[in-house]
Amino acid sequence: MRALPLVVLAIALALPAPARQPKPAAPVALSPAPTLTADSETRWVPFDLTPGNQIAFRMTINGRGATAVLDTGVNFTLAASAFAGSIGLKATASGQAAAAIGGALPIAWAPVESVDFGGLSRHGGRIGVADLSALATGTTQPVDVVVGADLLATHALDIDFDNRRFRLLASGRMPFRGTSVALSTAPQTGTFQVDATIGSARLRPLLLDTGDGSTLTVSREAWTTTRLPDVGLTSAYAVGLAGPIETDLVVLPQVRLGTAPARNIEVRIEPPRGYSTLTGTAGRIGNGFLQRYRVLLDPKARRMILSPGKDADRMPLKSTSGLLLSYEGKALRVLHVMRGSPAATDGWRAGERICAIDGAKLPDDYRTNRLGQWPAGTPGRTVRLGLCDGGPERALTLAAFY
């Protein structure tokens, strides 16, 4: 069984409207469109899902190997500052994104010679350069590149989650059968958008965000239109490129995407005037939703195809402890205590550090070890937690609370 992710993460980024864009220090040429090789259809790219539930793979920039995550919620490709420096990318202009999850994100621009992965290549153009922390990108180590919609919007993207691989295809291809959902691109950013129905409310547009590890996130304003009662809500924690945010959390029996009913969906509700509201969207759909399917994203053909995978209707793994944790080298740091949870009742606080579970120190393979399942363990079980500060052990009895 896969370990419960220690923290649920989200990445999204949007440039402001042209009239509001910061003036760059120097003109930056637009990037050319990427092209596909003749054998692109056969060139599957293997990937892993990170602890933050993101698609991690290998690519090259200027012929140099790089670790990357696939992020349709970012309108342009970003390189980490440290990686850009290591391969000699020189920033020629700077600016600031209007909105990223958690705040605003400073951006620089650098010209590149080539970008390649799978059957896709782009020669010339630019990429953004920014500080990409490990926490914000959902990995145990910082990634080098976040691949955005500028490289993905001109072709079809076929993501086979069950077999952990993806490929790029010519637009218009239909490599498998499934339910068709209308897909559009935002006029200013080119990011992907769809509509969904919760209760009797149609939420539009929703950002389709493969860089977001969550399932479905909606704005507080959009949630209000569903007229659903705030029953079963708790709180949760997410981290974006620009910082952390706290959301409400509920699991709904059904959400409809086009004509396709999706069951047992975890929904996060942003605070008033959160990221979605500021960027003119009703929310976003992340990998927690998409990985239930084989997915074809074809923005030029204006459609998304969903074919149910092996776990399409599974119930999401629920916390029974109420502790959202970050694994930090032999210790667990409490990032957030969920509202109404056993941990909240017992007085746990963000920032506390756990070094032992039921008398056992955290092993090197904690993330995949069965010991790491305890935050979502069987209700009624009592877990003994040893704090790193040497204080007395604390007992926490697990319970279903949302």
Side-chain angles (χ1 to χ4, degrees):
M1 180 183 294
R2 182 175 175 160
L4 178 72
L6 298 177
V7 57
V8 183
L9 304 165
I11 296 179
L13 189 63
L15 284 174
R20 294 168 51 213
Q21 283 184 342
K23 209 169 187 178
V28 182
L30 294 177
S31 298
T35 60
L36 297 183
T37 60
D39 64 345
S40 179
E41 193 159 333
T42 66
R43 298 180 67 171
W44 288 97
V45 179
F47 70 81
D48 294 316
L49 286 176
T50 72
N53 215 24
Q54 295 163 312
I55 297 170
F57 63 101
R58 296 288 298 177
M59 65 177 298
T60 62
I61 292 185
N62 292 356
R64 299 282 293 272
T67 60
V69 293
L70 202 64
D71 194 343
T72 59
V74 174
N75 51 320
F76 49 84
T77 295
L78 289 168
S81 300
F83 173 73
S86 73
I87 66 171
L89 295 184
K90 303 294 185 182
T92 58
S94 61
Q96 180 165 292
I101 294 177
L105 184 73
I107 300 290
W109 302 103
V112 293
E113 297 173 5
S114 63
V115 178
D116 300 273
F117 57 93
L120 182 143
S121 295
R122 194 187 78 190
H123 297 280
R126 63 174 186 172
I127 59 174
V129 178
D131 289 329
L132 305 178
S133 72
L135 189 61
T137 48
T139 65
T140 55
Q141 298 294 326
V143 298
D144 300 322
V145 182
V146 173
V147 173
D150 59 332
L151 291 175
L152 302 172
T154 56
H155 302 101
L157 173 63
D158 179 5
I159 310 176
D160 182 0
F161 280 99
D162 281 354
N163 293 298
R164 296 291 191 269
R165 60 181 188 170
F166 72 86
R167 59 181 174 172
L168 283 303
L169 307 172
S171 178
R173 288 281 291 113
M174 186 78 78
F176 58 89
R177 294 182 178 180
T179 300
S180 181
V181 178
L183 174 68
S184 62
T185 53
Q188 293 171 359
T189 65
T191 50
F192 304 170
Q193 297 181 339
V194 296
D195 299 345
T197 301
I198 297 180
S200 59
R202 189 171 183 182
L203 306 187
R204 65 174 81 178
L206 293 171
L207 180 70
L208 195 65
D209 189 355
T210 60
D212 187 334
S214 304
T215 301
L216 173 61
T217 302
V218 300
S219 68
R220 171 60 63 178
E221 295 83 353
W223 173 256
T224 300
T225 69
T226 69
R227 301 184 183 278
L228 294 177
D230 289 347
V231 176
L233 262 66
T234 182
S235 61
Y237 182 91
V239 179
L241 281 176
I245 59 169
E246 184 176 322
T247 67
D248 284 341
L249 176 68
V250 68
V251 177
L252 297 181
Q254 180 175 289
V255 171
R256 189 171 294 275
L257 198 65
T259 61
R263 297 177 176 84
N264 305 318
I265 298 299
E266 186 178 83
V267 179
R268 292 168 181 265
I269 305 163
E270 292 177 329
R273 290 195 55 77
Y275 170 78
S276 297
T277 302
L278 294 176
T279 53
T281 61
R284 57 192 177 273
I285 292 175
N287 274 344
F289 186 103
L290 297 176
Q291 71 184 43
R292 296 165 176 246
Y293 303 90
R294 182 171 173 181
V295 180
L296 181 74
L297 304 178
D298 192 346
K300 288 189 72 175
R302 301 184 66 82
R303 69 186 176 203
M304 172 171 67
I305 307 297
L306 298 176
S307 178
K310 59 186 179 182
D311 296 322
D313 293 331
R314 75 184 185 282
M315 179 64 73
L317 193 61
K318 291 185 175 183
S319 174
T320 51
S321 63
L323 291 175
L324 299 182
L325 305 161
S326 173
Y327 177 60
E328 301 178 352
K330 301 294 185 180
L332 299 173
R333 181 167 64 91
V334 177
L335 296 174
H336 178 74
V337 180
M338 300 172 74
R339 188 171 63 245
S341 69
T345 300
D346 286 358
W348 284 83
R349 296 289 182 266
E352 294 183 287
R353 297 172 72 245
I354 298 168
C355 281
I357 301 164
D358 287 335
K361 294 182 179 180
L362 274 59
D364 292 336
D365 64 346
Y366 175 82
R367 290 182 182 277
T368 55
N369 191 294
R370 289 189 65 85
L371 185 67
Q373 301 293 322
W374 71 268
T378 303
R381 174 189 170 191
T382 297
V383 185
R384 294 179 293 111
L385 302 173
L387 300 184
C388 301
D389 63 8
E393 251 186 1
R394 296 172 66 176
L396 179 64
T397 299
L398 308 179
F401 63 96
Y402 68 102

